């Protein structure tokens, strides 16, 4: 049952990918934004567009983390931290990630 | 003879025709002599709508509503006659020879002075005139053949107050004069004016003033005597002294003697004039200022010139000192020029003239030169320059420049002065400079209408420091009558800006009433509209509100419509800083939780407090929450009520419960109810005291827990019903009864939790039975030893249960359980069961259900 639920969720998420994803990739490539250990996107170089983009994406991430936390009997932060570690691991070299000490570094 | 009779007969017949033709011809020929007319008509006699006399392009006399009502004497009625100021062409004025005339003017107005009623008649070269004005009257007579004239009159002072621009006047003046006027040859006469009870109503004493004057062509002599102190208005009183006697020729003063003392708000002024008896046309004078203003002005006149010695005059309020740096010589003539090297000092500011010259001629006076401003004012360095001329027709010259600067501010104002002319004196200034690192540019214009200056003000400053892209703009109109005002509709806008990682959307403040600058500060109302804030993990929706400024007090009501949040702020300026009250109320909703580790599901918050700003912020308040529902992922808290005392003192925060915080239920997988605790924190360390809750039929309590803290802090559990614990199983595997209790020492560090020597034991006899389930069957079938153990344990009456738990900060859990009891179904078979378990809880959590697949899905979803 749990597996089916995740598959449905994954299908829905894949269908919702739009041109904005390109904007995120572009922002990451330009070094404007980066991944953080807390599971949320961070602003590396503050521009109005970068802050708007990060805020919008983080709102969606939080909603997804909350759903998963409730489904798995754990807290929001626990999900977010686990997701953050995974996201940093998957970040390609050349893009920015935040270290546990709070520094932005190019991976 | 018949022919002669015919001619006579027809001559008399033609006479009336000629009489009619003469005025017609006169009207037709009038423009040749500068007289123009229009609107010929009939109004109980021939009439003209307008009649005027022009000379050299200047309209000297305007007549409206002229009506001829009689031919002998020629009787004219004129509704209005205006006499205007035109350049004198040098032609001596003469009264013409006319048939008998009788002219009535209902409103005779000279330039902008109030109109008079006048009546003028002439017969046989004898002219008589009479004028009236609000109780005053003047009668005059002139005989053209001998040139003799005389007049008498009585003037009431009160109606002349408006003319003189003074306060309400009292008293009256009797005039009497006579003499001879032969145009182009002789003009001589004498005049006596006797003033009685002259003064300003309700302001000081009244006095009698006598002025006697006589003249012969351009020679003149005046003698004035004051019998009593005389109030001049505005608090000024002139005291009687020696009679003032002056004598001269034209503007040339040949003799002046007298003494005059005036006392007023600025102090005392004593004027003394004396002529040199030995040398005609020479004399000297002195003006002594004291008792407030201070200074001494010495003058002497000789050879038709007035010499003014260098002087220094200090005014008390404002504290301005005026200096004449070098002696000045002024010709006593109708037309001339003089060099006046003046200098004014106000506090540490000095305004110096250069090439300062005054030119005058009849009806005109001009100043020309340069002004140079240097010094300090209000902590700012001030410099300025201007070169040009000024006079009744306006100001001309190069743009004036004034620069004001200090460490933070540097602004240069440029004021073009060409075209700055009366009556509106239109000005347009540009200001350009910087405040700290903020560049700004503004434009202000002004014009005078009546007594009010008004204009527009537009400015732009920025980008603001630390606000990438933030630009401030100001647009509005202002006026200044008795005090400066920024008019309703003026706006200040801050464009979209980024501060660190916070996006500030545009903010707009708009005046809804004029903003008035009074002595106690600004007064006015304004509306506020902010489009909100955006941060990495939270947003503030659009904010609207109203604010009011009342001198040293102010207030604001702000609303966040999307959250139904309302905040009220009020304050007052204090000797040092500001202080006031703050209140707010809001329902709680999930949308407000974006930056928090938990999600608000409901409830209300209410804030009341006092704030203070004196270089740093201070807040004392009370935050009350009712019926708060919160979710920490799967952990759900419902029915939270709290009343917290909040404090903020220069960056140091403090909060503490005023009454115990209560929580109806907390679901952490195990339901906890009736939670009650005290809480205090400085936002770095959180301390829970006297915590108590119901759990599984028993209770959990602690005298105190601090986070983070290296101390081992015990949590006590008692009376836990194992039957309720067993009921939490998804697929029941065991049935339990009895109660257990114990304690768990915790170490709560910032990023970890540890347990040392936690102990649980039975508080009543326990029972255990293993229920048929797939899990139990699988275990029993796994090997024979387990099967035997399960049979021995099922069922079991437990006399002694002991469990020990330790967990390190890295997540490694060690548990040891000892169960001692008997199996009643095996004839009381004694059973002793020891079990140990070791596992890393954090690793277990990581591998639990959050795999790569799920995190990938989250990242993909959030890319939308």
């Amino acid at each position: 049952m749990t597996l089916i639920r995740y598959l449905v969720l994954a299908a829905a998420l894949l269908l919702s990918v739009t041109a904005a994803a390109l904007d995120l990739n572009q922002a990451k490539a330009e070094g404007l934004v980066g991944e953080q250990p807390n599971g949320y996107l961070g602003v590396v170089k503050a521009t109005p567009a970068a802050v708007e983009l990060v805020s919008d994406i983080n709102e969606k991430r939080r909603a997804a983390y909350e759903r998963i936390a409730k489904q798995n009997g754990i807290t929001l932060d626990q999900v977010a931290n686990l997701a953050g570690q995974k996201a940093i691991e998957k970040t390609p070299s050349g893009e920015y990630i935040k270290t546990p000490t709070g520094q932005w570094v190019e991976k | 003879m018949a022919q002669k009779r015919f001619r006579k007969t027809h001559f008399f017949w033609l006479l009336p025709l000629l009489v009619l033709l003469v005025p017609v011809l006169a009207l037709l020929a009038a423009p040749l002599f500068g007289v123009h007319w229009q609107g010929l008509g009939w109004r109980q006699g021939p009439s003209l709508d307008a009649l005027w006399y022009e000379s050299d392009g200047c309209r000297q006399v305007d007549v409206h509503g002229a009506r001829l009502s009689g031919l002998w004497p020629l009787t004219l009625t004129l509704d209005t006659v205006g006499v205007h100021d035109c350049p004198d062409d040098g032609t001596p004025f003469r009264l013409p020879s006319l048939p008998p005339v009788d002219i009535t003017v209902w409103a005779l107005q000279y330039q902008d002075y109030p109109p008079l009623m006048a009546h003028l008649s002439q017969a046989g070269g004898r002219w008589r005139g009479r004028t009236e004005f609000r109780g005053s009257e003047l009668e005059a007579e002139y005989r053209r053949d001998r040139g003799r004239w005389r007049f008498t009159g009585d003037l009431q002072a009160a109606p002349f107050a408006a003319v003189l621009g003074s306060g309400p006047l009292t008293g009256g003046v009797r005039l009497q004069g006579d003499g001879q006027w032969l145009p182009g040859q002789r003009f001589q006469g004498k005049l006596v004016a006797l003033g009685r009870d002259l003064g300003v109503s309700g302001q000081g004493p009244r006095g009698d003033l006598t002025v006697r004057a006589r003249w012969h062509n351009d020679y003149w002599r005046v003698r004035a005597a004051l019998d009593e102190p005389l109030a001049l208005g505005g608090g000024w009183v002139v005291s009687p002294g020696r009679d003032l006697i002056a004598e001269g020729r034209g503007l040339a003063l040949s003799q002046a003697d007298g003494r005059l003392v005036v006392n007023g708000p600025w102090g005392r002024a004593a004027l003394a004039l004396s002529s040199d008896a030995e040398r005609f046309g020479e004399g000297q004078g002195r003006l002594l200022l004291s008792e407030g203003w201070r200074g001494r002005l010495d003058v002497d006149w000789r050879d038709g010139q007035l010499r003014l010695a260098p002087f220094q005059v200090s005014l008390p309020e404002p504290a301005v000192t005026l200096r004449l740096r070098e002696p000045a010589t002024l010709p006593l003539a109708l037309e001339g020029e003089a060099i006046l090297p003046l200098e004014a000092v106000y506090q540490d500011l000095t305004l110096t003239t250069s090439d300062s010259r005054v030119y005058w001629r009849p009806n005109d006076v001009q100043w020309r030169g340069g002004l140079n401003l240097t010094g300090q004012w209000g902590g700012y360095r001030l410099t300025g320059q201007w070169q040009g001329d000024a006079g009744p027709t306006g100001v001309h010259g190069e743009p004036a420049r004034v620069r004001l600067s200090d460490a933070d501010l540097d602004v240069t104002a440029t004021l073009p002065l060409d075209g700055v002319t009366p009556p509106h004196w239109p000005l347009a200034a540009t200001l350009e400079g910087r405040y700290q690192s903020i560049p700004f540019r503004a434009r202000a214009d002004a014009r005078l209408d009546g007594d009010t200056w008004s204009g527009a003000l537009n400015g732009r400053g920025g980008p603001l420091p630390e606000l990438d892209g933030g630009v401030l703009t100001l647009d509005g109109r202002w006026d200044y009558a008795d005090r400066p005002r920024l008019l309703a509709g003026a706006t200040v806008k801050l464009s979209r800006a980024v501060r660190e990682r916070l996006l500030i959307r545009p903010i707009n403040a708009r005046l809804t009433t004029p903003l008035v600058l009074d002595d106690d500060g600004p007064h006015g109302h304004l509306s506020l509209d902010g489009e909100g804030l955006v941060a990495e993990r939270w947003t503030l929706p659009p904010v609207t509100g109203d604010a009011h400024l009342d001198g040293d007090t102010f207030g604001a009501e702000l609303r966040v419509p999307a959250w139904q949040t309302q905040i009220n702020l009020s304050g007052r300026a204090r000797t040092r800083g500001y202080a006031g009250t703050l209140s707010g109320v809001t329902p709680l909703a999930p949308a407000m939780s974006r930056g928090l580790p938990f999600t608000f599901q409901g409830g209300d918050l209410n804030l009341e407090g006092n704030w203070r700003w004196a270089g740093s912020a201070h807040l004392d308040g009370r935050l009350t929450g009712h019926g708060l529902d919160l979710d920490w992922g799967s952990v759900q808290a419902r029915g939270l009520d709290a009343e917290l005392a909040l404090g903020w003192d220069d960056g140091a925060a403090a909060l503490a419960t005023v009454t115990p915080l209560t929580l109806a239920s907390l679901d952490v997988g195990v339901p906890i109810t009736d939670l009650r605790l005290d809480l205090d924190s400085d936002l770095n360390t959180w301390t829970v005291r006297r915590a108590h809750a119901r759990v599984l039929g028993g209770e959990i309590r602690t005298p105190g827990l601090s986070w983070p803290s290296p101390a081992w802090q015990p949590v006590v559990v008692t009376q836990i019903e194992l039957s309720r614990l067993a009921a939490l199983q998804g697929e029941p595997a065991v049935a339990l009864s009895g109660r257990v209790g114990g304690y768990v020492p915790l170490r709560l560090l910032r990023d970890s939790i540890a347990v040392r020597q936690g102990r649980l034991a039975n508080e009543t006899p326990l029972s255990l039975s293993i229920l048929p389930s797939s899990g139990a069957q699988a275990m029993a079938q796994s090997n024979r030893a387990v099967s035997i153990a399960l049979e021995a344990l099922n069922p079991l009456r437990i006399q002694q249960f002991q469990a020990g738990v330790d967990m390190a900060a890295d997540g490694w859990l060690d548990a040891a359980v000892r169960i001692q009891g008997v199996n009643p179904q095996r004839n009381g078979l004694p059973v002793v069961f020891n079990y140990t378990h070791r596992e890393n809880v954090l690793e277990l959590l990581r591998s639990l259900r959050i795999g790569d697949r799920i995190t990938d899905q989250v990242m993909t979803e959030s890319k939308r």
Side-chain angles (χ1 to χ4, degrees), chain B residues 457 478-480 482-487 514-524 549 551:
Chain B
L457 181 63
W478 63 273
D479 68 16
Y480 181 94
D482 53 346
R483 52 193 178 170
R485 302 191 311 166
L486 193 57
L487 302 183
L515 184 71
V516 182
L517 291 176
D518 268 349
D519 292 341
D520 62 344
H523 293 254
L549 305 169

mmCIF file of all heavy atoms in Angstrom, chain B residues 457 478-480 482-487 514-524 549 551:
data_model
loop_
_atom_site.group_PDB
_atom_site.id
_atom_site.type_symbol
_atom_site.label_atom_id
_atom_site.label_comp_id
_atom_site.label_asym_id
_atom_site.label_seq_id
_atom_site.Cartn_x
_atom_site.Cartn_y
_atom_site.Cartn_z
ATOM 1 N N LEU B 457 7.390 69.058 -4.799
ATOM 2 C CA LEU B 457 8.651 68.502 -4.324
ATOM 3 C C LEU B 457 8.763 67.078 -4.860
ATOM 4 O O LEU B 457 7.863 66.260 -4.652
ATOM 5 C CB LEU B 457 8.666 68.489 -2.787
ATOM 6 C CG LEU B 457 9.916 67.955 -2.102
ATOM 7 C CD1 LEU B 457 11.109 68.822 -2.447
ATOM 8 C CD2 LEU B 457 9.717 67.946 -0.592
ATOM 9 N N TRP B 478 3.526 71.055 -1.545
ATOM 10 C CA TRP B 478 3.693 71.660 -0.228
ATOM 11 C C TRP B 478 3.209 73.095 -0.266
ATOM 12 O O TRP B 478 3.035 73.675 -1.341
ATOM 13 C CB TRP B 478 5.177 71.610 0.182
ATOM 14 C CG TRP B 478 6.053 72.403 -0.736
ATOM 15 C CD1 TRP B 478 6.622 71.961 -1.891
ATOM 16 C CD2 TRP B 478 6.414 73.786 -0.609
ATOM 17 N NE1 TRP B 478 7.317 72.967 -2.483
ATOM 18 C CE2 TRP B 478 7.212 74.112 -1.725
ATOM 19 C CE3 TRP B 478 6.135 74.773 0.337
ATOM 20 C CZ2 TRP B 478 7.739 75.368 -1.921
ATOM 21 C CZ3 TRP B 478 6.668 76.035 0.148
ATOM 22 C CH2 TRP B 478 7.462 76.330 -0.969
ATOM 23 N N ASP B 479 2.983 73.629 0.895
ATOM 24 C CA ASP B 479 2.750 75.072 0.974
ATOM 25 C C ASP B 479 3.262 75.592 2.311
ATOM 26 O O ASP B 479 3.579 74.821 3.223
ATOM 27 C CB ASP B 479 1.285 75.453 0.717
ATOM 28 C CG ASP B 479 0.333 74.985 1.807
ATOM 29 O OD1 ASP B 479 0.804 74.635 2.915
ATOM 30 O OD2 ASP B 479 -0.878 74.972 1.574
ATOM 31 N N TYR B 480 3.396 76.892 2.361
ATOM 32 C CA TYR B 480 3.912 77.533 3.580
ATOM 33 C C TYR B 480 3.215 78.874 3.725
ATOM 34 O O TYR B 480 3.404 79.775 2.917
ATOM 35 C CB TYR B 480 5.435 77.720 3.479
ATOM 36 C CG TYR B 480 6.057 78.343 4.708
ATOM 37 C CD1 TYR B 480 6.580 77.545 5.714
ATOM 38 C CD2 TYR B 480 6.090 79.720 4.880
ATOM 39 C CE1 TYR B 480 7.141 78.105 6.847
ATOM 40 C CE2 TYR B 480 6.643 80.289 6.013
ATOM 41 C CZ TYR B 480 7.164 79.478 6.997
ATOM 42 O OH TYR B 480 7.709 80.029 8.117
ATOM 43 N N ASP B 482 1.715 80.115 7.463
ATOM 44 C CA ASP B 482 2.271 80.383 8.781
ATOM 45 C C ASP B 482 3.174 79.244 9.233
ATOM 46 O O ASP B 482 3.906 79.380 10.199
ATOM 47 C CB ASP B 482 1.147 80.605 9.802
ATOM 48 C CG ASP B 482 0.163 79.458 9.793
ATOM 49 O OD1 ASP B 482 0.199 78.652 8.853
ATOM 50 O OD2 ASP B 482 -0.650 79.371 10.721
ATOM 51 N N ARG B 483 3.123 78.101 8.520
ATOM 52 C CA ARG B 483 3.970 76.959 8.866
ATOM 53 C C ARG B 483 4.048 76.047 7.643
ATOM 54 O O ARG B 483 3.141 76.035 6.808
ATOM 55 C CB ARG B 483 3.399 76.196 10.061
ATOM 56 C CG ARG B 483 1.958 75.838 9.863
ATOM 57 C CD ARG B 483 1.308 75.369 11.127
ATOM 58 N NE ARG B 483 -0.100 75.079 10.886
ATOM 59 C CZ ARG B 483 -0.892 74.489 11.730
ATOM 60 N NH1 ARG B 483 -0.435 74.131 12.898
ATOM 61 N NH2 ARG B 483 -2.144 74.255 11.450
ATOM 62 N N PRO B 484 5.120 75.282 7.522
ATOM 63 C CA PRO B 484 5.272 74.432 6.341
ATOM 64 C C PRO B 484 4.352 73.219 6.406
ATOM 65 O O PRO B 484 4.150 72.632 7.470
ATOM 66 C CB PRO B 484 6.744 74.011 6.411
ATOM 67 C CG PRO B 484 7.130 74.161 7.827
ATOM 68 C CD PRO B 484 6.291 75.246 8.408
ATOM 69 N N ARG B 485 3.784 72.870 5.230
ATOM 70 C CA ARG B 485 2.899 71.703 5.152
ATOM 71 C C ARG B 485 3.234 70.915 3.885
ATOM 72 O O ARG B 485 3.480 71.495 2.838
ATOM 73 C CB ARG B 485 1.434 72.115 5.068
ATOM 74 C CG ARG B 485 0.940 72.959 6.201
ATOM 75 C CD ARG B 485 -0.571 73.081 6.169
ATOM 76 N NE ARG B 485 -1.078 73.445 4.849
ATOM 77 C CZ ARG B 485 -2.358 73.343 4.501
ATOM 78 N NH1 ARG B 485 -3.240 72.890 5.370
ATOM 79 N NH2 ARG B 485 -2.768 73.696 3.299
ATOM 80 N N LEU B 486 3.236 69.583 4.019
ATOM 81 C CA LEU B 486 3.284 68.696 2.866
ATOM 82 C C LEU B 486 1.836 68.255 2.659
ATOM 83 O O LEU B 486 1.213 67.719 3.583
ATOM 84 C CB LEU B 486 4.196 67.506 3.157
ATOM 85 C CG LEU B 486 4.604 66.628 1.977
ATOM 86 C CD1 LEU B 486 5.293 67.449 0.902
ATOM 87 C CD2 LEU B 486 5.531 65.516 2.452
ATOM 88 N N LEU B 487 1.293 68.480 1.465
ATOM 89 C CA LEU B 487 -0.149 68.347 1.278
ATOM 90 C C LEU B 487 -0.579 66.895 1.103
ATOM 91 O O LEU B 487 0.224 66.030 0.729
ATOM 92 C CB LEU B 487 -0.586 69.180 0.082
ATOM 93 C CG LEU B 487 -0.258 70.665 0.181
ATOM 94 C CD1 LEU B 487 -0.795 71.421 -1.029
ATOM 95 C CD2 LEU B 487 -0.847 71.271 1.461
ATOM 96 N N PRO B 514 -2.888 66.784 5.201
ATOM 97 C CA PRO B 514 -1.606 67.513 5.119
ATOM 98 C C PRO B 514 -0.703 67.164 6.302
ATOM 99 O O PRO B 514 -1.175 66.975 7.430
ATOM 100 C CB PRO B 514 -2.037 68.980 5.159
ATOM 101 C CG PRO B 514 -3.434 68.978 4.647
ATOM 102 C CD PRO B 514 -4.048 67.700 5.142
ATOM 103 N N LEU B 515 0.579 67.074 6.018
ATOM 104 C CA LEU B 515 1.575 66.857 7.066
ATOM 105 C C LEU B 515 2.103 68.233 7.475
ATOM 106 O O LEU B 515 2.728 68.923 6.666
ATOM 107 C CB LEU B 515 2.706 65.980 6.553
ATOM 108 C CG LEU B 515 3.770 65.603 7.589
ATOM 109 C CD1 LEU B 515 3.191 64.620 8.592
ATOM 110 C CD2 LEU B 515 4.984 64.998 6.918
ATOM 111 N N VAL B 516 1.811 68.610 8.701
ATOM 112 C CA VAL B 516 2.134 69.955 9.171
ATOM 113 C C VAL B 516 3.326 69.872 10.115
ATOM 114 O O VAL B 516 3.345 69.031 11.019
ATOM 115 C CB VAL B 516 0.929 70.575 9.910
ATOM 116 C CG1 VAL B 516 1.261 71.989 10.361
ATOM 117 C CG2 VAL B 516 -0.283 70.581 9.005
ATOM 118 N N LEU B 517 4.300 70.730 9.894
ATOM 119 C CA LEU B 517 5.453 70.760 10.785
ATOM 120 C C LEU B 517 5.235 71.845 11.823
ATOM 121 O O LEU B 517 5.275 73.038 11.508
ATOM 122 C CB LEU B 517 6.726 71.032 9.979
ATOM 123 C CG LEU B 517 7.153 69.896 9.053
ATOM 124 C CD1 LEU B 517 8.364 70.310 8.239
ATOM 125 C CD2 LEU B 517 7.466 68.652 9.854
ATOM 126 N N ASP B 518 4.956 71.439 13.051
ATOM 127 C CA ASP B 518 4.769 72.378 14.153
ATOM 128 C C ASP B 518 5.990 72.352 15.058
ATOM 129 O O ASP B 518 6.908 71.557 14.860
ATOM 130 C CB ASP B 518 3.527 71.987 14.961
ATOM 131 C CG ASP B 518 2.285 72.708 14.444
ATOM 132 O OD1 ASP B 518 2.472 73.638 13.625
ATOM 133 O OD2 ASP B 518 1.179 72.354 14.849
ATOM 134 N N ASP B 519 5.927 73.188 16.067
ATOM 135 C CA ASP B 519 7.063 73.241 16.985
ATOM 136 C C ASP B 519 7.290 71.893 17.675
ATOM 137 O O ASP B 519 8.422 71.529 17.984
ATOM 138 C CB ASP B 519 6.828 74.319 18.048
ATOM 139 C CG ASP B 519 6.872 75.704 17.428
ATOM 140 O OD1 ASP B 519 7.427 75.824 16.325
ATOM 141 O OD2 ASP B 519 6.341 76.640 18.039
ATOM 142 N N ASP B 520 6.194 71.163 17.943
ATOM 143 C CA ASP B 520 6.344 69.892 18.656
ATOM 144 C C ASP B 520 6.548 68.715 17.713
ATOM 145 O O ASP B 520 6.569 67.571 18.141
ATOM 146 C CB ASP B 520 5.131 69.646 19.554
ATOM 147 C CG ASP B 520 3.847 69.529 18.756
ATOM 148 O OD1 ASP B 520 3.846 69.945 17.570
ATOM 149 O OD2 ASP B 520 2.853 69.026 19.292
ATOM 150 N N GLY B 521 6.671 68.973 16.412
ATOM 151 C CA GLY B 521 6.924 67.888 15.475
ATOM 152 C C GLY B 521 5.861 67.835 14.402
ATOM 153 O O GLY B 521 5.002 68.714 14.302
ATOM 154 N N PRO B 522 5.901 66.786 13.560
ATOM 155 C CA PRO B 522 4.947 66.699 12.453
ATOM 156 C C PRO B 522 3.570 66.214 12.911
ATOM 157 O O PRO B 522 3.450 65.435 13.859
ATOM 158 C CB PRO B 522 5.604 65.663 11.531
ATOM 159 C CG PRO B 522 6.449 64.832 12.429
ATOM 160 C CD PRO B 522 6.900 65.712 13.545
ATOM 161 N N HIS B 523 2.535 66.706 12.212
ATOM 162 C CA HIS B 523 1.151 66.276 12.455
ATOM 163 C C HIS B 523 0.558 65.851 11.116
ATOM 164 O O HIS B 523 0.669 66.585 10.137
ATOM 165 C CB HIS B 523 0.313 67.415 13.032
ATOM 166 C CG HIS B 523 0.721 67.825 14.402
ATOM 167 N ND1 HIS B 523 -0.015 67.514 15.520
ATOM 168 C CD2 HIS B 523 1.793 68.514 14.839
ATOM 169 C CE1 HIS B 523 0.601 68.002 16.584
ATOM 170 N NE2 HIS B 523 1.696 68.628 16.191
ATOM 171 N N GLY B 524 -0.101 64.685 11.099
ATOM 172 C CA GLY B 524 -0.754 64.264 9.861
ATOM 173 C C GLY B 524 -1.096 62.791 9.902
ATOM 174 O O GLY B 524 -0.720 62.066 10.829
ATOM 175 N N LEU B 549 0.646 60.949 12.918
ATOM 176 C CA LEU B 549 1.710 61.648 13.638
ATOM 177 C C LEU B 549 1.080 62.856 14.314
ATOM 178 O O LEU B 549 0.398 63.645 13.661
ATOM 179 C CB LEU B 549 2.794 62.109 12.666
ATOM 180 C CG LEU B 549 3.409 61.021 11.787
ATOM 181 C CD1 LEU B 549 4.260 61.633 10.686
ATOM 182 C CD2 LEU B 549 4.247 60.092 12.643
ATOM 183 N N GLY B 551 2.712 65.417 16.531
ATOM 184 C CA GLY B 551 3.801 66.053 17.252
ATOM 185 C C GLY B 551 4.745 65.017 17.798
ATOM 186 O O GLY B 551 5.363 64.273 17.048
#
